[in-house]
């Protein structure tokens, strides 16, 4: 303690000597510069020197007595040179410990900053116009960094990455407005991702701009749409002994941020690590054809369904892949999903005809939903919920509800009334033949008797289940067509978007169990759909991709290709769509043909749209003008240029 006090006294003595020497030098310079008429008035000691001496002596300086409305500022012009730098530094240091005026009280800076953090951008801008002190407080980097994080910008950055977070937030919002304008007006560039030697496109999946595609030639190819000059690699399968000859078709492909998975027609599953090259890191085999494939959105977990078996594979702590769980179910699986953000053993949701299973290692074979004769038509899961469409049959006989003085016609989606008081109870299901028998029974209907029961056909619905309690939370929709696609995981909170065979796209609010909007989208039914907070992108069986403004309920633009749209994915600045043909072996094509490629109209196509480029999609450079000289030339009908145009 004595050593610290001695060092502090030594520092104070040296600073006093420096201040005294600086004051003498400044008085000599001032006396030499002033005219003879003003030399009689010896200037006094500057105010900042008095302030410094007071601080060194350990007392409170008497020259600073801030008023309730605004802190007192030292007058400028006490001197120039090094003294101004010292004065400015002292004032800046004192501002951090000064009390900030809040009307008739004084608050510490940290407490005032705590109050200001509850203000928005507009309020902070208004507060910055009150006084100089409030301006410094309202433009504090901590406040604007927090606003930037709250609005979803630059989430993976720290406060030290930008010198002015107010400007960073302004630039992010300007970029967001420009992207929204480009989306609405289709301003950007579009490119086609094609691989002629792969023949027919079988399946496509994407994650954060990286696209994986599987073909009938057995090849799996990757594209990274985030870089313009990226060369797509071909992922090589792992050949076993005696596997010479043509490769089986690719059935399914999936990709996340670290893994790529492909399932083949012969029951083989190959797993690649995107960081370790083209050779697969894991391979396993099913005895039958694979019906469904699922890959965890984050992490390394793969689930496959073949026959009546569902197998889950994942690496252990040492990195060696192993079978985590195997489940035996009663029916063939149609849809398979892995629940995201699960700690511990993976959780799988499988839809097998009219049964939905919740498969856990500690509780195998748990049934989430089962109604005989009501098959599941689509499935999607989030971290805590599962949404799926069910197909219902028959008619529903409800309680008497209103007067009827006439006979309504019996049509699909409508109701007809009959006055049989003893015919069934409330909510009784009747088949169509039973409904006709009730309808045609003699003496069953007499007009003008007042109350009568209502017989109506049940519509198809979307069911929402909680995965933790296994309880049905909501029943939504009542359409006459099958729900063909549902997107829960990528939708905004409390929102759900679906596509239907009745050619409509519906958006549901999960808090109200009602449809917010219904868009007449396509001619042959909706096959893929995704939405965010303001737009909807849907794909149809006829090959049409439509972009909608959700709030206005209007179509912004559309693009058409030959085959059905099976994959739609977008983020703030890009859109990826895939038109995949249903016919994998078109007429006239044979494995023994010498043609190494399929005709362009049979292949299918992948489109990548980039809306951060200020270029009209219809005026974008043709793919042939972007090709290099090592491109493979066409065969037969696929006439290509031996020497393509130069790059523009």
């Amino acid at each position: 303690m004595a050593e610290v006090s001695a060092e502090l006294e030594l520092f104070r003595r040296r600073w006093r000597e420096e201040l005294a020497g600086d004051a003498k030098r400044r008085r000599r310079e001032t006396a030499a510069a002033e005219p003879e008429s003003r030399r009689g008035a010896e200037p006094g000691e500057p105010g900042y020197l008095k302030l410094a001496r007071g601080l060194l002596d350990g007392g409170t300086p008497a020259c600073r007595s801030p008023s309730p409305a605004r802190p007192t500022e030292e007058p400028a012009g006490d001197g120039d040179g090094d003294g101004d730098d010292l004065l400015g530094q002292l004032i800046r240091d004192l501002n951090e410990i000064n009390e900030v005026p809040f009307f008739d009280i004084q608050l510490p800076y940290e407490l005032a900053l705590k109050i200001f953090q509850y203000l928005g951008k507009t309020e902070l801008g208004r507060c910055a116009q009150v006084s100089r002190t409030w301006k410094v407080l309202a433009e504090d980097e901590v406040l604007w960094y927090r606003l930037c994080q709250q609005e979803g910008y630059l989430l993976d950055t720290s406060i030290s990455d930008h010198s002015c977070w107010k400007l960073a937030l302004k630039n992010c919002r300007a970029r967001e407005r420009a992207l929204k304008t480009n989306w609405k007006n289709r301003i950007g560039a579009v490119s086609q991702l094609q691989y002629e030697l792969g023949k027919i496109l079988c399946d496509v999946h994407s994650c954060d701009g990286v696209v994986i595609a599987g073909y009938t030639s057995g090849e799996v190819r990757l594209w990274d749409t985030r870089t313009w000059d990226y060369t797509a690699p071909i992922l090589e399968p792992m050949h076993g002994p005696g596997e010479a000859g043509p490769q089986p078709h690719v059935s399914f492909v999936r990709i996340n941020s670290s893994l790529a998975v492909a399932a083949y027609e012969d029951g083989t599953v190959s797993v690649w690590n995107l960081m370790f090259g083209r050779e697969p890191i894991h391979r396993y085999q099913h005895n039958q054809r694979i019906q469904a494939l699922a890959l965890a959105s984050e992490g390394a977990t793969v689930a496959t369904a073949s026959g009546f078996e569902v197998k889950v594979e994942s690496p252990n702590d040492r990195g060696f892949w192993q079978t985590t769980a195997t489940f035996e179910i009663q029916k063939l699986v149609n849809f398979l999903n892995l629940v995201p953000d699960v700690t511990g053993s993976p959780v799988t949701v499988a839809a097998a005809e009219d049964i939905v299973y919740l498969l856990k290692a500690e509780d195998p074979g748990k049934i989430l939903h089962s109604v005989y004769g009501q098959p599941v038509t689509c499935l999607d899961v989030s971290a805590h919920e599962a949404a799926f469409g069910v197909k219902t049959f028959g008619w529903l006989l409800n309680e008497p509800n209103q007067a009827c003085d006439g006979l309504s016609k019996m049509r699909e989606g409508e109701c007809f009334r009959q006055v049989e008081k003893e015919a069934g109870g409330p909510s009784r299901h009747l088949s169509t033949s039973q409904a006709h028998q009730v309808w045609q029974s003699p003496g069953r209907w007499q007009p003008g008797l007042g109350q009568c029961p209502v017989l109506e056909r049940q519509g198809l619905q979307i069911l929402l289940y909680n995965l933790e309690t296994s309880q049905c939370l909501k029943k939504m929709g009542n359409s006459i067509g099958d729900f063909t696609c549902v997107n829960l995981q990528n939708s905004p909170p409390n929102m759900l978007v679906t596509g239907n065979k009745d050619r409509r796209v519906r958006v549901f609010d999960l808090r109200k169990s009602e449809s917010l909007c219904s868009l007449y989208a396509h001619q042959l039914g909706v096959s893929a759909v995704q939405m965010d907070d303001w737009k909807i992108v849907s794909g149809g069986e006829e090959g049409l991709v439509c972009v909608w403004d959700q709030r206005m309920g209007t179509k912004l633009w559309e693009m058409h290709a030959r085959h059905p749209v099976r994959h739609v994915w977008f983020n703030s600045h890009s859109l990826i769509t895939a038109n995949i043909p249903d016919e994998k072996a078109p007429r006239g094509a044979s494995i023994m043909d010498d043609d190494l490629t399929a005709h362009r109209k049979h292949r299918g196509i992948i489109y990548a749209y980039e809306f951060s480029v200020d270029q009209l999609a219809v005026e974008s450079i043709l793919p042939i003008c972007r090709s290099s000289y090592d491109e493979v030339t066409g065969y037969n009908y696929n006439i290509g240029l031996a020497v393509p145009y130069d790059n523009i």
Side-chain angles (χ1 to χ4, degrees), residues 192-248:
Q192 300 178 6
L193 309 180
Q194 295 190 83
Y195 179 53
E196 289 82 359
L197 297 181
K199 295 191 176 180
I200 310 299
L201 187 63
C202 293
D203 194 23
V204 175
H205 195 247
S206 61
C207 176
D208 295 334
V210 182
V211 184
I212 183 172
Y215 296 87
T216 56
S217 63
E219 294 177 299
V220 179
R221 190 162 185 178
L222 288 178
W223 283 273
D224 191 346
T225 61
R226 299 169 295 185
T227 56
W228 183 259
D229 55 349
Y230 180 78
T231 303
I234 300 174
L235 302 180
E236 300 176 0
M238 183 184 295
H239 297 285
E243 291 185 1
Q247 294 295 320

Side-chain angles (χ1 to χ4, degrees), residues 101-322:
F102 269 82
F103 304 102
D104 57 345
I105 61 175
Q106 304 288 332
L107 293 179
Y109 188 88
E110 291 78 8
L111 185 56
L113 191 66
K114 187 72 174 178
I115 295 175
F116 272 50
Q117 76 178 7
Y118 296 101
L119 302 180
K121 301 181 297 294
T122 305
E123 291 81 5
L124 287 177
R126 292 170 179 170
C127 291
Q129 303 175 15
V130 174
S131 66
R132 185 175 300 177
T133 306
W134 278 39
K135 177 178 175 63
V136 174
L137 187 63
E139 294 183 353
D140 194 284
E141 297 300 326
V142 175
L143 298 176
W144 291 97
Y145 171 74
R146 185 170 299 173
L147 283 175
C148 219
Q149 297 285 307
Q150 288 176 356
E151 296 195 14
Y153 303 122
L154 306 175
L155 297 177
D156 54 347
T157 59
S158 62
I159 193 172
S160 60
D161 292 341
H162 291 271
S163 59
C164 182
W165 279 97
K166 182 178 180 180
L167 181 61
L169 178 59
K170 180 180 178 180
N171 293 337
C172 289
R173 291 181 62 86
R175 180 176 179 271
E176 183 181 18
R177 288 193 298 267
L179 285 175
K180 192 172 183 178
T181 301
N182 291 350
W183 267 96
K184 290 184 176 181
N185 299 298
R186 199 170 62 180
I187 299 175
V190 56
S191 57
Q192 300 178 6
L193 309 180
Q194 295 190 83
Y195 179 53
E196 289 82 359
L197 297 181
K199 295 191 176 180
I200 310 299
L201 187 63
C202 293
D203 194 23
V204 175
H205 195 247
S206 61
C207 176
D208 295 334
V210 182
V211 184
I212 183 172
Y215 296 87
T216 56
S217 63
E219 294 177 299
V220 179
R221 190 162 185 178
L222 288 178
W223 283 273
D224 191 346
T225 61
R226 299 169 295 185
T227 56
W228 183 259
D229 55 349
Y230 180 78
T231 303
I234 300 174
L235 302 180
E236 300 176 0
M238 183 184 295
H239 297 285
E243 291 185 1
Q247 294 295 320
H249 296 182
V250 177
S251 301
F252 304 97
V253 290
R254 294 293 182 268
I255 191 172
N256 61 14
S257 58
S258 59
L259 295 180
V261 184
Y264 297 87
E265 288 287 335
D266 61 350
T268 305
V269 180
S270 297
V271 182
W272 294 269
N273 191 309
L274 299 181
M275 306 299 295
F276 293 161
R278 304 181 181 183
E279 294 293 334
I281 61 173
H282 180 57
R283 178 178 182 268
Y284 64 97
Q285 181 80 34
H286 281 279
N287 296 328
Q288 302 181 31
R289 180 180 178 272
I290 297 175
Q291 285 113 16
L293 170 68
L295 175 64
S297 57
E298 296 292 339
T301 304
V302 180
T304 51
S306 176
F308 300 99
E309 180 186 61
V310 175
K311 183 181 292 187
V312 180
E313 301 265 334
S314 62
N316 57 16
D317 297 337
R318 301 177 58 187
F320 296 102
W321 283 78
Q322 61 184 5

Side-chain angles (χ1 to χ4, degrees), residues 14 29 66 132 241 244 247 259 287 335 340 409 432 495 575 581 638:
R14 289 181 179 178
E29 292 175 356
R132 185 175 300 177
Q247 294 295 320
L259 295 180
N287 296 328
F335 305 98
K409 293 183 179 180
T432 305
M495 302 289 284
L575 168 65
N638 306 318

Side-chain angles (χ1 to χ4, degrees), residues 35 47 62 250 262 282 301 384 394 426 428 432 468 606 610 627 631 645:
V250 177
H282 180 57
T301 304
H384 304 286
R428 195 184 71 167
T432 305
E468 298 177 357
I606 306 171
E610 181 60 46
S627 60
E631 290 284 334
Y645 296 126

